[in-house]
């Protein structure tokens, strides 16, 4: 019997790593090096862990200091996993752009969680490929709706970020919806205080709750009649994928050129978002078709069961 492939996974982003690890076969032995926000743990602590680690493959999430350290310590082969802002924003910054570019050039394999940043990655490394965000099918799966609600329940699932997530635009879209509804939103993100003030100014009934653990998000999806993701940069986020897997209709702006198979529409205005929300809350036939197409899509493209096997094949090629 062959020995298992030893993998050291470093850091994580949006629970991608921990979700994939759960579905690895017995052919892979994983050491997952995570870090907290404490000064020691995110500096010298993680550096020491990386230095001491030994494996057949090193998989680093986010192309900043952890990836740079692994390369400096001669850890090979390295899979560098970009998750969005590292290639959308940081790569162009004066402070850290050099590090992201060096990491891109030096990794043995580059994965990107968004097709919208694939061209940026390929400027520096022609091994780059799109690797879809996985969801955990044991946590996120269909559950029946609560029927007969006169007041619909809307869940705003993304961080409150006006520029990247378009949280303010989603609230403004909701203010145009005439159907009775209540909103639940999570009180975190760079614009958490501003979104609460905006909700009050718009006269919306919004209940802000504290951030919940990842394995508790399913309850929030299931308790909703509709889930709002983001109206921002056009990428497909984790919350939209998980909500689709839970069988809830999702309103989330994507760039269709990058996600041609995804059933979510590309929306161009606040009015379009408002109309989409209203249609999903009113038209039962449209709602059923959307839910079916959403679930077919995520099960085929984003299930961790499929993607864990795909990642194993990537590791094997590096060997």
């Amino acid at each position: 019997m062959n020995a298992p492939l030893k993998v050291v996974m470093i850091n994580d982003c949006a629970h991608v790593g921990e979700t994939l690890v759960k579905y690895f076969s017995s052919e892979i032995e994983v050491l997952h090096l995570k870090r907290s926000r404490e000064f020691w743990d995110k500096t010298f602590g993680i550096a020491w862990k990386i230095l001491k680690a030994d494996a057949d493959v090193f998989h680093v999430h986010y192309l900043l200091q952890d990836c740079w350290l692994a390369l400096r310590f001669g850890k090979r082969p390295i899979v560098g996993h970009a998750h969005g802002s590292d290639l959308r924003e940081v790569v162009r910054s004066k402070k850290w752009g050099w590090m992201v570019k060096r990491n891109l050039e030096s990794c043995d394999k580059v994965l990107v969680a968004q097709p919208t940043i694939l061209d940026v990655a390929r400027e520096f490394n022609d091994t780059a490929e799109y690797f879809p965000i996985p969801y955990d099918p044991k946590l996120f799966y269909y559950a029946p709706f609560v029927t007969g609600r006169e007041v619909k329940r809307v869940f705003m699932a993304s961080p409150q970020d006006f520029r990247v997530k378009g949280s303010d635009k989603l609230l403004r879209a909701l203010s145009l919806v005439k159907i009775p509804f209540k909103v639940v939103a999570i009180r975190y993100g760079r614009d958490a205080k501003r979104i609460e003030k905006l909700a009050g100014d718009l006269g919306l009934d919004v209940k802000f709750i504290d951030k919940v653990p990842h394995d508790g998000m399913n309850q929030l999806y299931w308790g909703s009649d509709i889930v709002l993701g983001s109206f921002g940069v056009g990428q497909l986020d984790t919350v939209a994928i998980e909500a689709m897997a839970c069988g809830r209709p999702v309103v989330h702006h994507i760039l269709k050129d990058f996600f041609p198979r995804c059933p979510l529409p590309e929306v161009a205005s606040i009015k379009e978002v408002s109309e989409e929300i209203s249609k999903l809350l009113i038209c039962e036939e449209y709602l059923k078709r959307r839910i079916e197409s959403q679930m077919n899509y995520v099960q085929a493209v984003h299930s961790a069961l499929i993607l864990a096997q795909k990642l194993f094949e990537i590791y094997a090629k590096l060997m």
Side-chain angles (χ1 to χ4, degrees):
M1 182 176 178
N2 294 331
L5 180 72
K6 292 185 178 180
V7 175
V8 168
M9 191 170 284
I10 303 168
N11 205 352
D12 207 344
C13 186
H15 308 280
V16 167
E18 69 179 37
T19 297
L20 290 167
V21 167
K22 286 174 65 174
Y23 291 90
F24 280 163
S25 71
S26 58
E27 297 174 276
I28 304 178
E29 181 181 301
V30 183
L31 172 62
H32 196 173
L33 303 179
K34 298 181 184 180
R35 58 184 174 88
S36 69
R37 293 182 179 272
E38 298 294 328
F39 176 76
W40 171 264
D41 199 34
K42 70 179 184 180
T43 53
F44 301 108
I46 192 67
W48 178 252
K49 291 175 183 177
I50 295 171
L51 177 64
K52 299 296 289 182
D54 183 40
D56 298 310
V57 178
F58 292 82
H59 184 156
V60 189
H61 294 270
Y62 216 73
L63 297 181
L64 271 169
Q65 63 267 32
D66 296 343
C67 188
W68 185 79
L69 284 169
L71 288 164
R72 291 280 291 181
F73 294 151
K75 305 300 182 180
R76 294 284 186 177
I78 285 186
V79 177
H81 202 147
H83 287 271
S85 61
D86 43 358
L87 298 194
R88 196 176 58 247
E89 299 171 9
V90 182
V91 72
R92 293 192 290 268
S93 73
K94 292 182 179 179
K95 186 175 182 180
W96 298 115
W98 66 271
M99 182 180 287
V100 176
K101 293 172 185 176
R102 183 72 58 82
N103 290 340
L104 278 171
E105 292 169 344
S106 303
C107 284
D108 301 289
K109 177 69 179 178
V110 172
L111 304 177
V112 299
Q114 299 290 346
T116 52
I117 57 175
L118 182 57
D119 285 349
V120 177
R122 284 183 174 166
E123 286 181 32
F124 301 93
N125 193 316
D126 59 12
T127 73
E129 69 172 278
Y130 169 49
F131 190 88
I133 295 171
Y135 75 91
D136 185 344
K138 292 181 181 177
L139 282 177
F140 304 103
Y141 52 87
Y142 179 80
F145 279 83
V146 175
T147 58
R149 286 182 181 141
E150 292 185 5
V151 178
K152 301 296 185 180
R153 295 190 181 182
V154 178
F155 176 40
M156 290 182 64
S158 293
Q160 308 309 329
D161 186 316
F162 289 5
R163 183 174 62 85
V164 177
K165 303 297 183 182
S167 311
D168 55 329
K169 297 184 185 74
L170 291 176
L171 270 194
R172 294 185 188 281
L174 283 170
S175 72
L176 302 176
V177 175
K178 304 305 181 184
I179 305 146
F181 63 86
K182 292 182 178 181
V183 184
V184 172
I186 302 177
R187 190 187 287 109
Y188 79 109
R190 70 177 76 184
D191 292 310
K193 291 183 179 179
R194 294 173 68 193
I195 199 80
E196 292 196 50
K197 182 179 185 304
L198 180 60
D201 293 343
L202 293 171
L204 291 172
D205 183 0
V206 182
K207 178 183 179 181
F208 287 94
I209 61 174
D210 292 333
K211 189 176 179 181
V212 302
H214 182 235
D215 60 6
M217 287 291 288
N218 50 10
Q219 298 295 330
L220 293 170
Y221 299 134
W222 291 329
S224 307
D225 294 297
I226 191 169
V227 176
L228 306 187
S230 75
F231 186 11
V233 297
Q235 66 184 26
L236 185 58
D237 296 340
T238 301
V239 294
I241 293 163
E242 292 173 348
M244 286 192 281
C246 285
R248 295 303 179 264
V250 174
V251 176
H252 180 101
H253 170 61
I254 59 168
L255 296 172
K256 292 297 282 189
D257 285 348
F258 293 98
F259 299 96
R261 294 178 62 187
C262 183
L264 301 180
E266 180 174 340
V267 289
S269 68
I270 289 172
K271 183 180 179 183
E272 282 187 37
V273 175
S274 175
E275 291 171 349
E276 183 70 9
I277 294 169
S278 298
K279 192 173 180 180
L280 286 167
L281 291 177
I282 292 173
C283 182
E284 187 173 339
E285 195 58 38
Y286 183 64
L287 173 70
K288 287 180 179 178
R289 290 198 304 270
R290 170 63 70 79
I291 289 173
E292 182 179 4
S293 62
Q294 287 180 174
M295 293 193 70
N296 287 340
Y297 167 72
V298 294
Q299 289 168 3
V301 178
H302 294 276
S303 172
L305 284 164
I306 296 170
L307 292 171
Q309 177 59 32
K310 180 179 179 180
L311 188 56
F312 172 73
E313 292 167 3
I314 290 170
Y315 291 158
K317 287 180 181 178
L318 287 174
M319 296 301 295

